Amino acid sequence: MQTLDTFDWIAVGLYFLVLAGIAVWVIRKKQENTADYFLAGRNVGWFVVGASIFASNIGSEHVVGLAGAGAGNKLPMLIYEIQAWVVLILGWVFLPFYARSGVFTMPEFLEKRFDARSRWVLSVFSIIAYVLTKISVTIYAGGVVVSALLGIDFWTGALSTVILTGLYTVLGGMRAVVYTETLQAVMLVVGAAALTFIGLDEVGGWASMTETVTPEYLNMWRSASDPEFPWPSLLITSTIVGIWYWCTDQYIVQRALTARNIKEGRRGTIFGALLKLLPVFLFLIPGIIALTLKMRGELHWDSPDEAFPVLMSNLLPSGLRGLVAAGLLAALMSSLASVFNSCSTLFTVDIYKKLRPNTPEKQLVRTGQIATVFIVIIGIIWIPIMANISGVLYEYLQKVQSYIAPPITAVFLLGIFYKRINAQGAFITLMVGFIVGALRIVLELMKESLDPDGFLFLLGDINFLTFAAWFFLFCVVLITVVSLMTSIPSKEKIFNLTFQTISPEEKANNKNSYNWVDVAVSILIIILVAGVMLFFNGKSGFF
């Protein structure tokens, strides 16, 4: 493992100078109200929206974890990274409802469609979920990356990056987040692409790499009876998690809400979907390259999660190594900045403002800044516990998300597609769903001490993908039955908030917000996703 040299440090230093310049420029702009601080004044163009969506999604947990999945025989996890088609669902299906309702947050949308109870439940749960998944995983992955690159210990690397990112997020708000993320998206793509091309050249090309790892290794579709990744459960659960993450999660949707209008917002999601096709080539393939070199005795690493940083430090020339290191730091910082801002938005708008509705705007901004600090501290405390759940970081992330997603996806999907769904159905589904999800995490952690023949052991031991698929079906049945057994929702709760109740004026407005180019690019993205799915089939070609 080589550490950075002088030219590398120059590259890293230049990156941080540009980043600091953008942050200072944004911080000097006025942040007098919540629209400015939390949604960048709702005046962002499509390019910045799309780049921000991509950079928020691709954090260091993807760089480290997805390469680890490629190096550790977890190729079916790739399906979570080719969900560009689900990003399109955000722009074409969900975003018009969010923009029409004028909301800041996803819990706020639930209050408009259902009632305040659902808003409270989703607000509190979302903050807890961010700590369990995004914050702790990102800090952990960041610690791995920074300590490997800079030769410092894990906790020093993790904490220094958290403090630096927290500083510009607290001071600059959402505008600082989206503009720094645009730079970080460019850095990440350039750096990882360079590593992929140099790595493929090092192993003698794709054919030589495939010959070493065997074509079967490159199969993302395992049999329905596979104990780890049965393909029907993988396909269903990845879609459920994808709709939750891309279409209903504050972390991602907040970027689309910063757009100046629905047209720019939708185009931002289409651009984000196009960028979302890149991680397969930028992160997964370097993991397979690292495994190939290890099998040939040319590279060594102990854990699959070390594959990307070890490959990078050994293959890249001086200067370029620093550029990619800066890209990795960018990935870590963009993810942290996004989740910090989303947490402070949820706490301030959905909890603090609800309890104190007459609070001045400046005080709300200050409250959001203080909330960020507390969220970071809690995330750091969770890291040691997180290590027990799964050996591979990326798999841990998908496991926890598979337990969180089903009730939220069911409530949002049925909420906009079926006008008969009411507040009682939504509230009970969210409450029961979150209890079941929490129970599954606890049982998975303590299953070794349970009776192997008991029901609790079965619940904790069943494949996480299969569990999530059945869990989603349970949530759909629950919300439908409870809604049909209770009162019909009032007209103001469904007007313009379900497909069956959109006014003719809003239908016309929506139709005028896109053209043939938007439709054509969206169709192209779907074709490309299908192509990737067919290519990774364990054979030497598409068929």
Side-chain angles (χ1 to χ4, degrees):
M1 185 86 183
Q2 296 180 39
T3 52
L4 303 187
D5 62 19
T6 306
F7 290 110
D8 295 326
W9 281 110
I10 290 170
V12 173
L14 284 172
Y15 159 70
F16 276 106
L17 274 175
V18 176
L19 188 70
I22 294 172
V24 169
W25 170 69
V26 169
I27 289 165
R28 291 180 66 180
K29 288 179 173 287
K30 289 184 178 179
Q31 307 273 356
E32 292 183 351
N33 58 48
T34 46
D36 272 343
Y37 188 77
F38 295 121
L39 291 179
R42 293 190 194 264
N43 193 33
V44 175
W46 65 267
F47 184 88
V48 174
V49 169
S52 177
I53 286 173
F54 175 72
S56 300
N57 168 241
I58 303 301
S60 54
E61 75 276 12
H62 282 74
V63 178
V64 176
L66 189 56
N73 200 21
K74 306 274 185 186
L75 206 80
M77 305 302 287
L78 160 66
I79 197 164
Y80 288 95
E81 288 312 305
I82 47 176
Q83 287 187 329
W85 67 278
V86 185
V87 189
L88 296 175
I89 295 174
L90 169 61
W92 289 103
V93 177
F94 286 89
L95 188 59
F97 289 104
Y98 299 151
R100 206 177 286 135
S101 61
V103 296
F104 276 64
T105 70
M106 296 300 93
E108 190 181 356
F109 179 78
L110 285 193
E111 182 174 28
K112 292 211 170 194
R113 174 61 180 88
F114 300 115
D115 64 9
R117 294 177 304 168
S118 295
R119 179 177 183 170
W120 273 106
V121 173
L122 187 61
S123 303
V124 173
F125 184 78
S126 294
I127 293 172
I128 294 169
Y130 286 148
V131 174
L132 289 181
T133 58
K134 296 182 177 69
I135 293 179
S136 55
V137 170
T138 305
I139 295 171
Y140 176 81
V144 171
V145 170
V146 174
S147 60
L149 292 178
L150 311 186
I152 56 180
D153 72 277
F154 169 80
W155 284 102
T156 305
L159 292 173
S160 57
T161 317
V162 170
I163 292 164
L164 185 63
T165 310
L167 196 63
Y168 77 74
T169 310
V170 167
L171 295 174
M174 187 61 171
R175 193 177 271 113
V177 173
V178 294
Y179 284 104
T180 53
E181 280 179 342
T182 305
L183 167 69
Q184 289 159 344
V186 173
M187 289 289 298
L188 193 55
V189 170
V190 170
L195 181 59
T196 302
F197 286 118
I198 292 169
L200 279 173
D201 182 60
E202 183 72 18
V203 296
W206 183 269
S208 176
M209 182 182 76
T210 306
E211 192 178 325
T212 301
V213 298
T214 73
E216 182 53 37
Y217 186 87
L218 301 178
N219 184 13
M220 63 179 283
W221 303 108
R222 304 212 180 149
S223 73
S225 58
D226 186 84
E228 275 196 298
F229 303 107
W231 77 261
S233 299
L234 180 69
L235 191 61
I236 295 165
T237 298
S238 63
T239 303
I240 295 163
V241 172
I243 293 172
W244 161 71
Y245 180 86
W246 291 105
C247 304
T248 74
D249 192 25
Q250 183 69 23
Y251 180 72
I252 294 296
V253 177
Q254 192 168 340
R255 274 108 205 95
L257 296 179
T258 63
R260 62 176 63 101
N261 54 44
I262 184 66
K263 184 176 185 178
E264 295 291 313
R266 183 183 287 111
R267 284 194 174 163
T269 62
I270 294 169
F271 180 49
L274 206 54
L275 292 174
K276 184 60 187 163
L277 293 166
L278 296 174
V280 180
F281 309 101
L282 300 181
F283 310 125
L284 184 94
I285 290 173
I288 302 170
I289 291 168
L291 176 66
T292 305
L293 292 172
K294 185 180 182 181
M295 290 170 75
R296 293 176 184 176
E298 297 172 29
L299 201 66
H300 176 74
W301 34 265
D302 297 317
S303 160
D305 287 339
E306 295 173 8
F308 194 95
V310 170
L311 183 73
M312 188 202 79
S313 70
N314 282 277
L315 251 60
L316 294 182
S318 176
L320 187 56
R321 189 166 53 231
L323 186 70
V324 179
L328 286 175
L329 294 171
L332 166 65
M333 293 171 72
S334 66
S335 286
L336 279 177
S338 300
V339 74
F340 290 167
N341 190 258
S342 295
C343 279
S344 65
T345 306
L346 285 167
F347 178 80
T348 307
V349 176
D350 288 316
I351 296 175
Y352 191 85
K353 195 176 178 182
K354 286 290 286 181
L355 294 172
R356 300 187 174 185
N358 299 319
T359 306
E361 290 280 300
K362 281 192 174 181
Q363 179 61 36
L364 288 174
V365 171
R366 179 60 52 85
T367 303
Q369 293 171 332
I370 295 166
T372 303
V373 178
F374 280 99
I375 295 289
V376 173
I377 293 167
I378 297 165
I380 292 168
I381 292 167
W382 178 255
I383 294 172
I385 303 163
M386 184 199 85
N388 292 326
I389 294 184
S390 177
V392 177
L393 181 68
Y394 193 70
E395 190 178 356
Y396 160 83
L397 185 65
Q398 302 310 340
K399 274 188 176 182
V400 177
Q401 290 182 343
S402 298
Y403 311 145
I404 291 169
I408 303 174
T409 302
V411 167
F412 274 87
L413 267 181
L414 271 72
I416 66 167
F417 277 101
Y418 187 19
K419 66 179 183 180
R420 183 63 181 80
I421 299 297
N422 63 15
Q424 194 68 13
F427 174 68
I428 288 176
T429 302
L430 288 173
M431 286 300 293
V432 172
F434 296 155
I435 291 166
V436 172
L439 179 65
R440 163 68 195 213
I441 293 175
V442 171
L443 291 175
E444 187 172 334
L445 284 168
M446 57 181 289
K447 69 181 179 184
E448 301 301 325
S449 61
L450 297 173
D451 175 13
D453 299 320
F455 175 72
L456 290 180
F457 180 85
L458 176 68
L459 198 60
D461 190 54
I462 186 175
N463 178 280
F464 78 98
L465 296 166
T466 305
F467 172 84
W470 285 109
F471 186 22
F472 176 69
L473 180 62
F474 167 76
C475 291
V476 167
V477 171
L478 181 63
I479 191 172
T480 306
V481 169
V482 173
S483 295
L484 292 175
M485 289 175 65
T486 48
S487 59
I488 296 172
S490 60
K491 285 187 178 178
E492 62 266 22
K493 286 294 178 189
I494 56 174
F495 181 65
N496 275 335
L497 295 179
T498 73
F499 274 103
Q500 295 126 308
T501 57
I502 303 174
S503 66
E505 294 81 15
E506 287 297 339
K507 283 181 181 176
N509 289 339
N510 189 51
K511 198 170 183 182
N512 292 330
S513 67
Y514 62 87
N515 58 28
W516 70 270
V517 177
D518 300 314
V519 175
V521 175
S522 298
I523 292 170
L524 173 65
I525 289 167
I526 292 167
I527 292 168
L528 289 172
V529 169
V532 173
M533 285 183 168
L534 284 171
F535 183 77
F536 286 95
N537 61 9
K539 296 170 186 170
S540 53
F542 280 93
F543 302 104

